[in-house]
Amino acid sequence: MKFFGHYLSSATERVRIGFALKNLSYDYLSVREIGWDAYEKINPHRLVPALQVGDALIPQSNAILHYLEEQFPEPSLFPEDPVTRAQARAFAQHIVCEMHAVDVLRIRKVLADKLNVDETGLSDWSQHWFADGFSKMEQTLANRSQPYPFCYGEQPGWADLHLVPHMRKAITRFDVDVQKYPLTNEVFNLCVELPAFKKAAPVAQSDYPGSIENPGMEN
Ligand SMILES: N[C@@H](CCC(=O)N[C@@H](CS)C(=O)NCC(=O)O)C(=O)O
């Protein structure tokens, strides 16, 4: 399997964690090395990640993760109980649709380049959506039927692999004060010490340049 990604991309990191939790290997192709224009010929959506299986390309982290789950069911990324499983999916969907989609690089670029939003405006935009999203996440974790160590179980899975990259991005690149969200922060701190999450972290990737030069405007 050829996996196209970028060390800093939180959507790519979700899938890297999925690979690591399932102990799967893959050939990693970085868009930093291939170049975005060349990558666009492979994936016309020009977004990372994408997975190539034979001649077929699977874009979208969610579709890739579902493919991995179906092809390599053990260990499962999902809780057994159907309601808890649905809640784990909802938690992840909240991050993907209500948080990441409104704050990803291409959105900030349109705000800056087409709508002339300045640095302060861009920062206000990001901080607004982080605060909105994380406070709802915190409430969701507080309302769980059981105080699991991870989002929805005794082991990390679907919800956690979505949480960690987004929270990492918020802390390291947007200086979000995550102490305000103690339950969410607790899960994050537990996850990042685990080998699968360490293996998937931006700094552990072959395309990590040694430091993040322009944290606000990279992916
Ligand atoms: N919904 C997509 C989002 C993919 C996405 O936005 N990827 C970002 C990196 S995290 C990207 O390629 N950004 C390039 C851009 O915004 O132009 C997924 O989950 O795969």
Side-chain angles (χ1 to χ4, degrees), residues 87-125:
Q87 288 178 321
R89 285 198 172 105
F91 189 91
Q93 198 77 346
H94 169 72
I95 295 169
V96 173
C97 301
E98 321 305 337
M99 296 181 77
H100 184 245
V102 293
D103 191 44
V104 71
L105 177 63
R106 61 190 171 283
I107 301 293
R108 279 180 278 120
K109 273 192 169 159
V110 171
L111 291 172
D113 300 345
K114 291 204 172 164
L115 303 177
N116 299 320
V117 176
D118 63 12
E119 284 296 317
T120 309
L122 284 178
S123 168
D124 286 351
W125 174 271

mmCIF file of all heavy atoms in Angstrom, residues 87-125:
data_model
loop_
_atom_site.group_PDB
_atom_site.id
_atom_site.type_symbol
_atom_site.label_atom_id
_atom_site.label_comp_id
_atom_site.label_asym_id
_atom_site.label_seq_id
_atom_site.Cartn_x
_atom_site.Cartn_y
_atom_site.Cartn_z
ATOM 1 N N GLN A 87 -21.203 6.690 19.197
ATOM 2 C CA GLN A 87 -20.707 7.902 19.881
ATOM 3 C C GLN A 87 -19.253 8.186 19.511
ATOM 4 O O GLN A 87 -18.866 9.345 19.356
ATOM 5 C CB GLN A 87 -20.853 7.737 21.395
ATOM 6 C CG GLN A 87 -22.303 7.813 21.851
ATOM 7 C CD GLN A 87 -22.439 7.609 23.346
ATOM 8 O OE1 GLN A 87 -21.742 6.775 23.950
ATOM 9 N NE2 GLN A 87 -23.339 8.360 23.957
ATOM 10 N N ALA A 88 -18.464 7.125 19.357
ATOM 11 C CA ALA A 88 -17.060 7.308 18.944
ATOM 12 C C ALA A 88 -17.018 7.905 17.538
ATOM 13 O O ALA A 88 -16.205 8.799 17.247
ATOM 14 C CB ALA A 88 -16.321 5.973 18.985
ATOM 15 N N ARG A 89 -17.892 7.437 16.671
ATOM 16 C CA ARG A 89 -17.956 7.985 15.303
ATOM 17 C C ARG A 89 -18.382 9.454 15.338
ATOM 18 O O ARG A 89 -17.847 10.293 14.608
ATOM 19 C CB ARG A 89 -18.969 7.202 14.459
ATOM 20 C CG ARG A 89 -18.483 5.842 14.021
ATOM 21 C CD ARG A 89 -19.335 5.335 12.856
ATOM 22 N NE ARG A 89 -18.789 4.122 12.299
ATOM 23 C CZ ARG A 89 -19.301 2.911 12.489
ATOM 24 N NH1 ARG A 89 -20.402 2.753 13.202
ATOM 25 N NH2 ARG A 89 -18.733 1.847 11.952
ATOM 26 N N ALA A 90 -19.364 9.757 16.181
ATOM 27 C CA ALA A 90 -19.857 11.137 16.273
ATOM 28 C C ALA A 90 -18.758 12.065 16.785
ATOM 29 O O ALA A 90 -18.593 13.190 16.293
ATOM 30 C CB ALA A 90 -21.076 11.192 17.191
ATOM 31 N N PHE A 91 -17.997 11.592 17.766
ATOM 32 C CA PHE A 91 -16.898 12.381 18.343
ATOM 33 C C PHE A 91 -15.888 12.729 17.245
ATOM 34 O O PHE A 91 -15.440 13.863 17.113
ATOM 35 C CB PHE A 91 -16.241 11.555 19.454
ATOM 36 C CG PHE A 91 -15.248 12.299 20.288
ATOM 37 C CD1 PHE A 91 -15.656 12.954 21.447
ATOM 38 C CD2 PHE A 91 -13.904 12.326 19.943
ATOM 39 C CE1 PHE A 91 -14.738 13.634 22.234
ATOM 40 C CE2 PHE A 91 -12.984 12.999 20.721
ATOM 41 C CZ PHE A 91 -13.401 13.658 21.875
ATOM 42 N N ALA A 92 -15.563 11.702 16.446
ATOM 43 C CA ALA A 92 -14.600 11.912 15.355
ATOM 44 C C ALA A 92 -15.159 12.855 14.302
ATOM 45 O O ALA A 92 -14.465 13.755 13.815
ATOM 46 C CB ALA A 92 -14.248 10.564 14.724
ATOM 47 N N GLN A 93 -16.422 12.660 13.982
ATOM 48 C CA GLN A 93 -17.072 13.487 12.959
ATOM 49 C C GLN A 93 -17.097 14.964 13.382
ATOM 50 O O GLN A 93 -16.956 15.857 12.552
ATOM 51 C CB GLN A 93 -18.498 12.960 12.744
ATOM 52 C CG GLN A 93 -19.131 13.406 11.462
ATOM 53 C CD GLN A 93 -18.594 12.600 10.267
ATOM 54 O OE1 GLN A 93 -17.587 11.905 10.375
ATOM 55 N NE2 GLN A 93 -19.255 12.717 9.150
ATOM 56 N N HIS A 94 -17.285 15.183 14.670
ATOM 57 C CA HIS A 94 -17.269 16.555 15.207
ATOM 58 C C HIS A 94 -15.921 17.226 14.886
ATOM 59 O O HIS A 94 -15.869 18.380 14.455
ATOM 60 C CB HIS A 94 -17.526 16.492 16.715
ATOM 61 C CG HIS A 94 -17.272 17.779 17.442
ATOM 62 N ND1 HIS A 94 -18.094 18.875 17.333
ATOM 63 C CD2 HIS A 94 -16.266 18.156 18.279
ATOM 64 C CE1 HIS A 94 -17.615 19.861 18.069
ATOM 65 N NE2 HIS A 94 -16.516 19.451 18.660
ATOM 66 N N ILE A 95 -14.839 16.473 15.088
ATOM 67 C CA ILE A 95 -13.513 17.035 14.820
ATOM 68 C C ILE A 95 -13.318 17.275 13.325
ATOM 69 O O ILE A 95 -12.862 18.342 12.897
ATOM 70 C CB ILE A 95 -12.415 16.090 15.377
ATOM 71 C CG1 ILE A 95 -12.518 16.033 16.900
ATOM 72 C CG2 ILE A 95 -11.020 16.545 14.926
ATOM 73 C CD1 ILE A 95 -11.693 14.951 17.553
ATOM 74 N N VAL A 96 -13.697 16.275 12.528
ATOM 75 C CA VAL A 96 -13.460 16.357 11.082
ATOM 76 C C VAL A 96 -14.298 17.471 10.445
ATOM 77 O O VAL A 96 -13.783 18.280 9.668
ATOM 78 C CB VAL A 96 -13.797 15.000 10.407
ATOM 79 C CG1 VAL A 96 -13.728 15.113 8.890
ATOM 80 C CG2 VAL A 96 -12.855 13.915 10.902
ATOM 81 N N CYS A 97 -15.589 17.499 10.777
ATOM 82 C CA CYS A 97 -16.511 18.400 10.050
ATOM 83 C C CYS A 97 -16.683 19.758 10.710
ATOM 84 O O CYS A 97 -16.783 20.759 10.020
ATOM 85 C CB CYS A 97 -17.894 17.767 9.921
ATOM 86 S SG CYS A 97 -17.851 16.217 9.057
ATOM 87 N N GLU A 98 -16.770 19.768 12.042
ATOM 88 C CA GLU A 98 -17.094 21.033 12.707
ATOM 89 C C GLU A 98 -15.849 21.817 13.109
ATOM 90 O O GLU A 98 -15.939 22.991 13.432
ATOM 91 C CB GLU A 98 -17.970 20.796 13.957
ATOM 92 C CG GLU A 98 -19.048 19.727 13.847
ATOM 93 C CD GLU A 98 -20.010 19.944 12.682
ATOM 94 O OE1 GLU A 98 -20.145 21.086 12.215
ATOM 95 O OE2 GLU A 98 -20.595 18.952 12.228
ATOM 96 N N MET A 99 -14.699 21.147 13.134
ATOM 97 C CA MET A 99 -13.477 21.857 13.549
ATOM 98 C C MET A 99 -12.455 21.925 12.410
ATOM 99 O O MET A 99 -12.124 23.006 11.942
ATOM 100 C CB MET A 99 -12.860 21.173 14.785
ATOM 101 C CG MET A 99 -13.756 21.220 16.006
ATOM 102 S SD MET A 99 -13.012 20.444 17.463
ATOM 103 C CE MET A 99 -11.853 21.697 18.003
ATOM 104 N N HIS A 100 -11.964 20.768 11.974
ATOM 105 C CA HIS A 100 -10.888 20.770 10.977
ATOM 106 C C HIS A 100 -11.323 21.461 9.685
ATOM 107 O O HIS A 100 -10.591 22.288 9.131
ATOM 108 C CB HIS A 100 -10.460 19.326 10.703
ATOM 109 C CG HIS A 100 -9.293 19.204 9.774
ATOM 110 N ND1 HIS A 100 -9.385 18.628 8.540
ATOM 111 C CD2 HIS A 100 -8.004 19.611 9.905
ATOM 112 C CE1 HIS A 100 -8.196 18.671 7.939
ATOM 113 N NE2 HIS A 100 -7.347 19.248 8.756
ATOM 114 N N ALA A 101 -12.535 21.167 9.212
ATOM 115 C CA ALA A 101 -12.977 21.690 7.907
ATOM 116 C C ALA A 101 -13.072 23.211 7.873
ATOM 117 O O ALA A 101 -12.921 23.805 6.807
ATOM 118 C CB ALA A 101 -14.320 21.069 7.525
ATOM 119 N N VAL A 102 -13.303 23.829 9.009
ATOM 120 C CA VAL A 102 -13.443 25.298 8.975
ATOM 121 C C VAL A 102 -12.118 26.015 9.256
ATOM 122 O O VAL A 102 -12.050 27.237 9.156
ATOM 123 C CB VAL A 102 -14.522 25.815 9.971
ATOM 124 C CG1 VAL A 102 -15.900 25.358 9.552
ATOM 125 C CG2 VAL A 102 -14.216 25.415 11.402
ATOM 126 N N ASP A 103 -11.092 25.263 9.602
ATOM 127 C CA ASP A 103 -9.853 25.925 9.996
ATOM 128 C C ASP A 103 -8.618 25.420 9.252
ATOM 129 O O ASP A 103 -7.501 25.788 9.568
ATOM 130 C CB ASP A 103 -9.651 25.770 11.512
ATOM 131 C CG ASP A 103 -8.527 26.674 11.988
ATOM 132 O OD1 ASP A 103 -8.498 27.833 11.544
ATOM 133 O OD2 ASP A 103 -7.674 26.195 12.757
ATOM 134 N N VAL A 104 -8.842 24.587 8.241
ATOM 135 C CA VAL A 104 -7.704 24.029 7.523
ATOM 136 C C VAL A 104 -7.050 25.126 6.667
ATOM 137 O O VAL A 104 -7.639 26.186 6.428
ATOM 138 C CB VAL A 104 -8.193 22.802 6.701
ATOM 139 C CG1 VAL A 104 -9.059 23.232 5.534
ATOM 140 C CG2 VAL A 104 -7.055 21.908 6.274
ATOM 141 N N LEU A 105 -5.838 24.854 6.221
ATOM 142 C CA LEU A 105 -5.032 25.867 5.525
ATOM 143 C C LEU A 105 -5.776 26.577 4.397
ATOM 144 O O LEU A 105 -5.739 27.806 4.277
ATOM 145 C CB LEU A 105 -3.772 25.191 4.974
ATOM 146 C CG LEU A 105 -2.841 26.081 4.147
ATOM 147 C CD1 LEU A 105 -2.274 27.212 4.976
ATOM 148 C CD2 LEU A 105 -1.711 25.258 3.547
ATOM 149 N N ARG A 106 -6.466 25.810 3.553
ATOM 150 C CA ARG A 106 -7.093 26.453 2.384
ATOM 151 C C ARG A 106 -8.178 27.448 2.794
ATOM 152 O O ARG A 106 -8.428 28.419 2.094
ATOM 153 C CB ARG A 106 -7.649 25.403 1.411
ATOM 154 C CG ARG A 106 -8.707 24.497 1.967
ATOM 155 C CD ARG A 106 -8.996 23.353 1.008
ATOM 156 N NE ARG A 106 -9.867 22.351 1.606
ATOM 157 C CZ ARG A 106 -9.481 21.443 2.497
ATOM 158 N NH1 ARG A 106 -8.227 21.425 2.903
ATOM 159 N NH2 ARG A 106 -10.323 20.564 2.984
ATOM 160 N N ILE A 107 -8.818 27.220 3.943
ATOM 161 C CA ILE A 107 -9.828 28.171 4.435
ATOM 162 C C ILE A 107 -9.124 29.450 4.901
ATOM 163 O O ILE A 107 -9.517 30.556 4.552
ATOM 164 C CB ILE A 107 -10.628 27.555 5.617
ATOM 165 C CG1 ILE A 107 -11.323 26.259 5.185
ATOM 166 C CG2 ILE A 107 -11.599 28.560 6.221
ATOM 167 C CD1 ILE A 107 -12.422 26.424 4.168
ATOM 168 N N ARG A 108 -8.044 29.273 5.669
ATOM 169 C CA ARG A 108 -7.316 30.450 6.159
ATOM 170 C C ARG A 108 -6.705 31.245 5.003
ATOM 171 O O ARG A 108 -6.624 32.458 5.048
ATOM 172 C CB ARG A 108 -6.256 30.014 7.175
ATOM 173 C CG ARG A 108 -6.863 29.778 8.554
ATOM 174 C CD ARG A 108 -5.851 29.354 9.599
ATOM 175 N NE ARG A 108 -5.574 27.931 9.508
ATOM 176 C CZ ARG A 108 -4.381 27.404 9.277
ATOM 177 N NH1 ARG A 108 -3.338 28.175 9.135
ATOM 178 N NH2 ARG A 108 -4.231 26.099 9.202
ATOM 179 N N LYS A 109 -6.325 30.516 3.936
ATOM 180 C CA LYS A 109 -5.752 31.204 2.765
ATOM 181 C C LYS A 109 -6.803 32.068 2.079
ATOM 182 O O LYS A 109 -6.510 33.175 1.646
ATOM 183 C CB LYS A 109 -5.202 30.183 1.770
ATOM 184 C CG LYS A 109 -3.777 29.789 2.074
ATOM 185 C CD LYS A 109 -3.188 29.025 0.907
ATOM 186 C CE LYS A 109 -1.690 28.857 1.059
ATOM 187 N NZ LYS A 109 -1.189 27.747 0.247
ATOM 188 N N VAL A 110 -8.025 31.571 1.965
ATOM 189 C CA VAL A 110 -9.089 32.366 1.330
ATOM 190 C C VAL A 110 -9.384 33.584 2.202
ATOM 191 O O VAL A 110 -9.540 34.703 1.693
ATOM 192 C CB VAL A 110 -10.374 31.522 1.106
ATOM 193 C CG1 VAL A 110 -11.537 32.396 0.667
ATOM 194 C CG2 VAL A 110 -10.117 30.437 0.074
ATOM 195 N N LEU A 111 -9.433 33.361 3.516
ATOM 196 C CA LEU A 111 -9.680 34.494 4.422
ATOM 197 C C LEU A 111 -8.603 35.569 4.231
ATOM 198 O O LEU A 111 -8.904 36.759 4.123
ATOM 199 C CB LEU A 111 -9.682 34.030 5.882
ATOM 200 C CG LEU A 111 -10.859 33.146 6.327
ATOM 201 C CD1 LEU A 111 -10.628 32.612 7.731
ATOM 202 C CD2 LEU A 111 -12.168 33.928 6.274
ATOM 203 N N ALA A 112 -7.342 35.117 4.167
ATOM 204 C CA ALA A 112 -6.230 36.067 4.062
ATOM 205 C C ALA A 112 -6.130 36.679 2.664
ATOM 206 O O ALA A 112 -6.053 37.899 2.517
ATOM 207 C CB ALA A 112 -4.923 35.364 4.424
ATOM 208 N N ASP A 113 -6.154 35.828 1.637
ATOM 209 C CA ASP A 113 -5.831 36.310 0.286
ATOM 210 C C ASP A 113 -7.024 36.935 -0.433
ATOM 211 O O ASP A 113 -6.853 37.875 -1.200
ATOM 212 C CB ASP A 113 -5.272 35.157 -0.570
ATOM 213 C CG ASP A 113 -4.010 34.563 0.037
ATOM 214 O OD1 ASP A 113 -3.430 35.211 0.938
ATOM 215 O OD2 ASP A 113 -3.612 33.455 -0.360
ATOM 216 N N LYS A 114 -8.223 36.398 -0.204
ATOM 217 C CA LYS A 114 -9.371 36.926 -0.954
ATOM 218 C C LYS A 114 -10.214 37.900 -0.138
ATOM 219 O O LYS A 114 -10.841 38.796 -0.687
ATOM 220 C CB LYS A 114 -10.261 35.764 -1.427
ATOM 221 C CG LYS A 114 -9.608 34.914 -2.488
ATOM 222 C CD LYS A 114 -10.625 34.185 -3.343
ATOM 223 C CE LYS A 114 -9.902 33.519 -4.502
ATOM 224 N NZ LYS A 114 -10.706 32.503 -5.154
ATOM 225 N N LEU A 115 -10.254 37.683 1.160
ATOM 226 C CA LEU A 115 -11.115 38.541 1.982
ATOM 227 C C LEU A 115 -10.303 39.544 2.813
ATOM 228 O O LEU A 115 -10.850 40.244 3.656
ATOM 229 C CB LEU A 115 -12.009 37.679 2.882
ATOM 230 C CG LEU A 115 -12.896 36.668 2.130
ATOM 231 C CD1 LEU A 115 -13.687 35.797 3.094
ATOM 232 C CD2 LEU A 115 -13.867 37.383 1.185
ATOM 233 N N ASN A 116 -8.995 39.535 2.582
ATOM 234 C CA ASN A 116 -8.085 40.492 3.234
ATOM 235 C C ASN A 116 -8.150 40.473 4.768
ATOM 236 O O ASN A 116 -8.031 41.520 5.407
ATOM 237 C CB ASN A 116 -8.356 41.923 2.742
ATOM 238 C CG ASN A 116 -8.124 42.026 1.256
ATOM 239 O OD1 ASN A 116 -7.169 41.443 0.737
ATOM 240 N ND2 ASN A 116 -9.011 42.725 0.558
ATOM 241 N N VAL A 117 -8.362 39.325 5.327
ATOM 242 C CA VAL A 117 -8.365 39.215 6.788
ATOM 243 C C VAL A 117 -6.912 39.274 7.271
ATOM 244 O O VAL A 117 -6.043 38.575 6.728
ATOM 245 C CB VAL A 117 -9.042 37.884 7.232
ATOM 246 C CG1 VAL A 117 -8.972 37.703 8.732
ATOM 247 C CG2 VAL A 117 -10.494 37.845 6.750
ATOM 248 N N ASP A 118 -6.636 40.132 8.251
ATOM 249 C CA ASP A 118 -5.251 40.290 8.705
ATOM 250 C C ASP A 118 -4.892 39.231 9.757
ATOM 251 O O ASP A 118 -5.718 38.389 10.112
ATOM 252 C CB ASP A 118 -5.006 41.717 9.233
ATOM 253 C CG ASP A 118 -5.871 42.023 10.455
ATOM 254 O OD1 ASP A 118 -6.485 41.088 11.030
ATOM 255 O OD2 ASP A 118 -5.940 43.204 10.846
ATOM 256 N N GLU A 119 -3.652 39.291 10.245
ATOM 257 C CA GLU A 119 -3.143 38.298 11.204
ATOM 258 C C GLU A 119 -4.045 38.163 12.439
ATOM 259 O O GLU A 119 -4.320 37.069 12.906
ATOM 260 C CB GLU A 119 -1.736 38.686 11.669
ATOM 261 C CG GLU A 119 -0.643 38.411 10.650
ATOM 262 C CD GLU A 119 -0.481 36.924 10.353
ATOM 263 O OE1 GLU A 119 -0.501 36.117 11.300
ATOM 264 O OE2 GLU A 119 -0.360 36.571 9.161
ATOM 265 N N THR A 120 -4.497 39.325 12.953
ATOM 266 C CA THR A 120 -5.350 39.298 14.151
ATOM 267 C C THR A 120 -6.670 38.607 13.830
ATOM 268 O O THR A 120 -7.162 37.780 14.605
ATOM 269 C CB THR A 120 -5.630 40.744 14.634
ATOM 270 O OG1 THR A 120 -4.384 41.408 14.730
ATOM 271 C CG2 THR A 120 -6.349 40.780 15.956
ATOM 272 N N GLY A 121 -7.223 38.937 12.682
ATOM 273 C CA GLY A 121 -8.489 38.321 12.270
ATOM 274 C C GLY A 121 -8.341 36.817 12.085
ATOM 275 O O GLY A 121 -9.200 36.037 12.507
ATOM 276 N N LEU A 122 -7.223 36.403 11.478
ATOM 277 C CA LEU A 122 -6.990 34.968 11.260
ATOM 278 C C LEU A 122 -6.862 34.235 12.586
ATOM 279 O O LEU A 122 -7.408 33.142 12.773
ATOM 280 C CB LEU A 122 -5.705 34.746 10.455
ATOM 281 C CG LEU A 122 -5.764 35.030 8.960
ATOM 282 C CD1 LEU A 122 -4.403 34.802 8.336
ATOM 283 C CD2 LEU A 122 -6.805 34.152 8.283
ATOM 284 N N SER A 123 -6.143 34.865 13.513
ATOM 285 C CA SER A 123 -5.967 34.253 14.825
ATOM 286 C C SER A 123 -7.318 34.166 15.553
ATOM 287 O O SER A 123 -7.647 33.130 16.147
ATOM 288 C CB SER A 123 -4.950 35.069 15.617
ATOM 289 O OG SER A 123 -4.960 34.667 16.945
ATOM 290 N N ASP A 124 -8.122 35.240 15.456
ATOM 291 C CA ASP A 124 -9.448 35.222 16.106
ATOM 292 C C ASP A 124 -10.312 34.098 15.528
ATOM 293 O O ASP A 124 -11.026 33.411 16.250
ATOM 294 C CB ASP A 124 -10.189 36.557 15.886
ATOM 295 C CG ASP A 124 -9.594 37.669 16.734
ATOM 296 O OD1 ASP A 124 -8.746 37.362 17.594
ATOM 297 O OD2 ASP A 124 -9.967 38.836 16.505
ATOM 298 N N TRP A 125 -10.222 33.930 14.225
ATOM 299 C CA TRP A 125 -10.994 32.867 13.545
ATOM 300 C C TRP A 125 -10.613 31.494 14.117
ATOM 301 O O TRP A 125 -11.460 30.713 14.545
ATOM 302 C CB TRP A 125 -10.712 32.923 12.031
ATOM 303 C CG TRP A 125 -11.311 31.811 11.235
ATOM 304 C CD1 TRP A 125 -10.734 30.596 10.964
ATOM 305 C CD2 TRP A 125 -12.602 31.781 10.605
ATOM 306 N NE1 TRP A 125 -11.576 29.822 10.209
ATOM 307 C CE2 TRP A 125 -12.733 30.527 9.966
ATOM 308 C CE3 TRP A 125 -13.651 32.699 10.508
ATOM 309 C CZ2 TRP A 125 -13.873 30.156 9.249
ATOM 310 C CZ3 TRP A 125 -14.789 32.334 9.793
ATOM 311 C CH2 TRP A 125 -14.898 31.078 9.175
#
